[in-house]
Amino acid sequence: METLTSLLGAINGIVWGPLMLILLLGVGIYLQIGLKLMPIRKLGMGFKLMWQGRDAKPSDKTPAKESDEGEISPFNALMTALSATIGTGNIAGVATAIALGGPGAVFWMWITALVGMATKFAEAVLAVRYRETDSTGYHVGGPMFYIKNGLGRKWLWLGGLFSFFGAVAAFGIGNTVQSNSVADAMDATFGVPHWLTGVVIMVLAGAVILGGIKRIAKVAGKLVPVMGIAYVIAGLLVLIVNAGQIGEAFGLIFYYAFNPIAAAGGFAGAAVMAAIRFGVARGIFSNEAGLGSAPIAHAAAQTKNPVRQGLIAMLGTFIDTIIVCTITALVILTSTVWMEGEAGASLTALSFDAALPGFGNQIVAIALAIFAFTTILGWSFYGEKCCQFLFGTRSIMLYRVLFVLAIPLGAIAQLGFIWLMADTFNAMMAIPNLIALALLSPVVFKLTRDYFAGKDVLPGEALDHDK
């Protein structure tokens, strides 16, 4: 086990190392330039389409064959994707970035998000463009399908690799790690035993997951907006209390993005490269732009227009990092707790509690529980679709059952090895996806140009799969 752990640790250092971060940023910058900064320029349009997409638009339906248009509304597709991305990364990940990279890491998280908007846009465009219908009549899509149908069958092995990494990573990043984080928070804050937390999450998540994408999307469509808005409001309350320190916090972010920060108190100090590395890494971990997970959800959207869904999809990165992560970062930096050597969720909890004594840490514990719960829902769907690509539709229910049963095991387990394995496989998902995005970028650029030129952009008839 020690040898395997060492091997995985070495691989993890490579896949989450500078080369991977350069690759993620490089592809994102290339797409952003190729799109002429359209994701940033059309941000308002994206929010407008998101609001309109709460229900399937009549113009996006074909009455004679409505089932071919997708299973969930464009809005709920975004909420399903956000359910998986708004999670522990927004609470623990931001705190870790600041603890290891200093305040300047927040600036590089923002840069990652602005670049990642183009990546997420391209992922969703390709997901809708190259999606298929399976033997049950449901739409399936994502990197494995745009690799297969966009790059051709000679690249099928690359789609298989993505699916394998995704199916395994889902059990870690999207399941056991989440239930373990909730169990720790519930035990530390409210004294709830780990096993009880695990059983409760298993029952609640199982009731949703076993119902498939329509039930997951319905729950996500209601829970994600409520939890996101509630967390932002709680963060704004802290910032009102700490209003005098907000200007200084922004100053720290911009100054230390380009200058090293010295050690002080319990804080070990950080070089500029550390700010860049941890800001980019935690930003990617939080919003998942480039990993290829979100397009699996967007492929099920009720639309025939890839670009419309791409404009909605890119909001996921903006909401996750520019809004939610920024709130967390400002809460931490307007307190003095971050200088005391704390890290992770405990740093965020202490920062909230410093401004809201007595219940600030409870707000973080509850938010962490809800964020992690919805992450489990979103990732169950991602893992299921990866498994389906490898083994067919008959494997879906077995995967769902195993996924649900793993939840309480994660709550009581020591997850050092599991976290390492899942984190490694999570990063390895990005490699096939980034290759496909780069090779299929001309398709994204052409569809986007045609859309804004007023031409009809339709993906054509959905492809038949697994029949």
Side-chain angles (χ1 to χ4, degrees), residues 37 53 99 104-105 112 148 153 174 191 228 251 281 322 337 371 391 405 432 436 443 463:
L37 302 183
T112 302
K148 171 189 167 188
R153 288 191 171 271
I322 302 297
V337 180
F371 285 178
F391 304 110
L405 292 176
V443 177
L463 300 164

Side-chain angles (χ1 to χ4, degrees), residues 375-391:
T375 297
I376 290 171
L377 299 185
W379 269 94
S380 72
F381 181 66
Y382 296 162
E384 168 192 313
K385 294 298 113 179
C386 289
C387 183
Q388 180 183 356
F389 184 82
L390 294 171
F391 304 110

Side-chain angles (χ1 to χ4, degrees), residues 91 95 189 231 238 242 328 331-365:
I91 294 177
T189 307
Y231 181 75
V238 172
N242 298 339
T328 302
V331 166
I332 292 170
L333 292 175
T334 54
S335 75
T336 57
V337 180
W338 70 275
M339 300 290 286
E340 297 175 7
E342 291 289 339
S346 61
L347 172 55
T348 306
L350 287 170
S351 299
F352 267 86
D353 209 54
L356 305 173
F359 62 94
N361 62 330
Q362 296 178 11
I363 291 173
V364 174

Side-chain angles (χ1 to χ4, degrees), residues 33-367:
I33 293 172
L35 292 166
K36 300 176 181 177
L37 302 183
M38 182 279 297
I40 297 173
R41 292 187 292 107
K42 299 294 184 181
L43 184 63
M45 183 180 183
F47 277 104
K48 181 180 178 182
L49 289 172
M50 178 192 73
W51 186 251
Q52 293 174 348
R54 288 170 295 157
D55 297 301
K57 297 293 288 180
S59 59
D60 281 345
K61 289 184 178 180
T62 303
K65 207 173 183 183
E66 185 177 318
S67 61
D68 272 1
E69 306 309 319
E71 288 67 53
I72 58 179
S73 70
F75 175 84
N76 278 353
L78 174 62
M79 292 304 109
T80 302
L82 276 174
S83 74
T85 53
I86 296 183
T88 54
N90 298 81
I91 294 177
V94 176
T96 300
I98 293 172
L100 298 177
V106 179
F107 174 85
W108 295 107
M109 287 185 74
W110 292 339
I111 296 299
T112 302
L114 294 176
V115 168
M117 286 174 64
T119 308
K120 198 69 73 81
F121 170 83
E123 288 176 333
V125 168
L126 294 174
V128 175
R129 173 65 182 85
Y130 292 111
R131 66 184 178 181
E132 303 180 356
T133 52
D134 64 18
S135 58
T136 62
Y138 278 74
H139 282 72
V140 287
M144 56 284 208
F145 289 99
Y146 52 74
I147 288 171
K148 171 189 167 188
N149 298 322
L151 297 180
R153 288 191 171 271
K154 65 180 180 181
W155 292 89
L156 193 59
W157 61 274
L158 194 65
L161 277 180
F162 174 87
S163 297
F164 174 71
F165 295 145
V168 175
F171 274 95
I173 297 297
N175 187 322
T176 52
V177 168
Q178 302 296 330
S179 62
N180 193 265
S181 297
V182 178
D184 282 344
M186 290 295 104
D187 183 34
T189 307
F190 302 108
V192 180
H194 280 63
W195 69 266
L196 181 57
T197 299
V199 170
V200 170
I201 297 174
M202 179 185 71
V203 172
L204 294 176
V208 180
I209 291 169
L210 296 178
I213 181 58
K214 289 186 178 180
R215 193 176 299 172
I216 291 172
K218 187 175 181 180
V219 172
K222 291 180 171 58
L223 194 55
V224 171
V226 171
M227 74 169 187
I229 291 170
Y231 181 75
V232 168
I233 290 173
L236 290 175
L237 286 176
V238 172
L239 295 182
I240 291 171
V241 174
N242 298 339
Q245 286 75 48
I246 293 177
E248 182 183 350
F250 276 108
L252 292 172
I253 291 170
F254 286 107
Y255 181 79
Y256 290 116
F258 305 98
N259 297 278
I261 178 171
F267 180 70
V272 175
M273 278 307 300
I276 297 172
R277 178 185 174 187
F278 291 108
V280 173
R282 293 302 93 186
I284 295 293
F285 178 77
S286 177
N287 61 51
E288 298 180 11
L291 296 188
S293 50
I296 299 174
H298 288 288
Q302 291 170 327
T303 182
K304 271 194 170 184
N305 199 304
V307 176
R308 284 175 65 95
Q309 195 60 34
L311 288 165
I312 294 172
M314 71 185 191
L315 299 179
T317 303
F318 183 86
I319 292 169
D320 177 275
T321 306
I322 302 297
I323 296 179
V324 182
C325 285
T326 298
I327 291 291
T328 302
L330 290 176
V331 166
I332 292 170
L333 292 175
T334 54
S335 75
T336 57
V337 180
W338 70 275
M339 300 290 286
E340 297 175 7
E342 291 289 339
S346 61
L347 172 55
T348 306
L350 287 170
S351 299
F352 267 86
D353 209 54
L356 305 173
F359 62 94
N361 62 330
Q362 296 178 11
I363 291 173
V364 174
I366 293 170

Side-chain angles (χ1 to χ4, degrees), residues 1-12 416-418 420 424:
M1 181 61 76
E2 288 184 10
T3 304
L4 187 58
T5 301
S6 298
L7 177 62
L8 268 179
I11 296 173
N12 187 270
F417 177 77
I418 294 176
L420 180 62
T424 303

